[in-house]
Amino acid sequence: MEQSTVKQSAAPILDVRDISVSFGGVKPVRGVSFSIEKNTFTSIIGPNGAGKTSLFNLISGANKIDSGEIYFKGDPIHSIHAYQVAQRGLVRTFQGAKVIRRLTVVENLMMAVQGNPGDNLWGFLNPSARKRFEISTREEAMLRLEQVGLSKFANDFAGILSGGQRKLLDLSRALMTSPSMVLLDEPFAGVNPTLVEKLLEVIADLRKNNEITFLLIEHDLETVMNISERVIVMAEGKIIADGLPNSIYDNELVIDAYLGSRRKGA
Ligand SMILES: Nc1ncnc2c1ncn2[C@@H]1O[C@H](COP(=O)(O)OP(=O)(O)OP(=O)(O)O)[C@@H](O)[C@H]1O
Ligand SMILES: [Mg+2]
């Protein structure tokens, strides 16, 4: 694998060590290793079917690895459930932007928050605690909706939102738990340029104000080059290049696997 110089800290927030998974005869992720430094923005690019979403499924705990190890903030996360990974501060958005269509937009966000006092006996017996929790969660959700320009849809069913608006809602949902790391799976795909600008603004604000580490899967190279401090290139389940954004353009392996056809098309 070709690698240009990207600063690596002694204690990365995410450390992926030689992970693989197979489903029947398909092996979407084959011995992938990388680590991510805190408060950085890294993009993953690669052809369709390269294994990018599969990699996110493994990191987020949606699928279990066959071999290897994954550490988040120094702790192993490869054997725990997806909800436990999220509880530790590592959340993801979905390529298809999952929303619950029959809940309102604001309820979709409220659902994301764990620790509802109604979930345990103490809370069950304390309606006022439940009410306080609901009020504060609703307030937080409304702020999130404001941030992405969706507050006017707060009480509409999420099913009425357009594809692009669902992506904004999915991002807000991920942010409801105040994560320290967010995995974004093609958040800009199929979103109109105005909403892409909106999403980029939201991300830029988050980077300025909070300390969130981002890992983005994205096909649009202009966006990737503008936003990323580092680019990882996957093809056929493996990392074929990893480095500073500019270095990717000159990498022969990347040109063959990914950029070649795009350059010709340009
Ligand atoms: N649960 C599964 N069962 C069987 N095959 C799977 C499963 N998950 C992923 N795959 C296969 O793994 C390969 C990689 O798919 P993946 O969705 O990770 O690619 P991708 O890089 O995200 O592509 P795209 O850019 O099109 O989103 C594909 O051939 C896919 O069919
Ligand atoms: Mg994908």
Side-chain angles (χ1 to χ4, degrees):
M1 190 229 323
E2 308 219 354
Q3 187 150 12
S4 64
T5 326
V6 169
K7 202 171 60 160
Q8 291 284 314
S9 65
I13 187 166
L14 179 71
D15 193 7
V16 173
R17 299 184 193 166
D18 198 18
I19 62 169
S20 298
V21 74
S22 56
F23 303 104
V26 188
K27 205 167 180 187
V29 177
R30 306 161 178 237
V32 165
S33 298
F34 62 92
S35 55
I36 298 287
E37 204 178 335
K38 201 164 171 265
N39 303 336
T40 53
F41 198 111
T42 305
S43 293
I44 301 180
I45 63 171
N48 295 121
K52 305 178 299 295
T53 298
S54 303
L55 178 65
F56 272 18
N57 289 342
L58 296 178
I59 297 171
S60 63
N63 290 138
K64 289 287 158 250
I65 52 176
D66 291 339
S67 58
E69 292 164 323
I70 307 171
Y71 292 85
F72 182 62
K73 296 178 185 165
D75 296 319
I77 55 166
H78 45 267
S79 304
I80 62 176
H81 295 291
Y83 78 90
Q84 293 168 314
V85 174
Q87 272 172 348
R88 290 180 185 209
L90 174 54
V91 300
R92 56 99 53 100
T93 65
F94 292 88
Q95 193 164 352
K98 287 188 181 173
V99 301
I100 306 171
R101 301 166 63 95
R102 284 170 180 277
L103 288 183
T104 65
V105 167
V106 72
E107 283 166 353
N108 262 269
L109 295 193
M110 292 171 72
M111 282 282 292
V113 180
Q114 287 145 358
N116 183 344
D119 292 344
N120 57 46
L121 183 62
W122 174 82
F124 182 73
L125 298 171
N126 281 276
S128 62
R130 259 199 338 262
K131 193 74 204 159
R132 273 200 309 278
F133 180 84
E134 197 195 313
I135 290 168
S136 68
T137 309
R138 189 174 287 273
E139 272 171 14
E140 161 83 12
M142 287 307 296
L143 285 176
R144 292 283 172 208
L145 291 177
E146 201 78 54
Q147 190 179 34
V148 296
L150 288 179
S151 49
K152 58 180 174 291
F153 301 109
N155 297 314
D156 293 326
F157 285 120
I160 68 143
L161 295 181
S162 72
Q165 290 166 333
R166 284 180 201 193
K167 295 242 174 178
L168 292 169
L169 183 61
D170 196 27
L171 177 62
S172 297
R173 180 196 51 75
L175 297 173
M176 275 298 284
T177 50
S178 304
S180 39
M181 181 161 187
V182 182
L183 313 177
L184 302 166
D185 195 348
E186 298 199 34
F188 312 118
V191 178
N192 77 54
T194 318
L195 282 187
V196 169
E197 284 304 313
K198 185 88 213 165
L199 270 167
L200 287 169
E201 267 171 37
V202 171
I203 290 169
D205 274 353
L206 289 166
R207 294 209 66 203
K208 232 183 302 161
N209 303 330
N210 298 338
E211 298 204 321
I212 299 185
T213 307
F214 285 97
L215 191 55
L216 166 78
I217 296 175
E218 178 55 43
H219 283 290
D220 183 66
L221 286 174
E222 201 184 320
T223 306
V224 166
M225 294 299 160
N226 285 338
I227 206 172
S228 320
E229 292 156 300
R230 173 184 173 192
V231 179
I232 293 173
V233 188
M234 280 188 79
E236 296 177 1
K238 294 183 177 153
I239 294 181
I240 59 163
D242 179 352
L244 300 169
N246 283 339
S247 71
I248 298 305
Y249 262 124
D250 302 323
N251 184 316
E252 288 300 323
L253 285 172
V254 181
I255 293 166
D256 284 351
Y258 189 58
L259 295 178
S261 56
R262 281 162 194 262
R263 283 189 176 178
K264 277 178 218 138

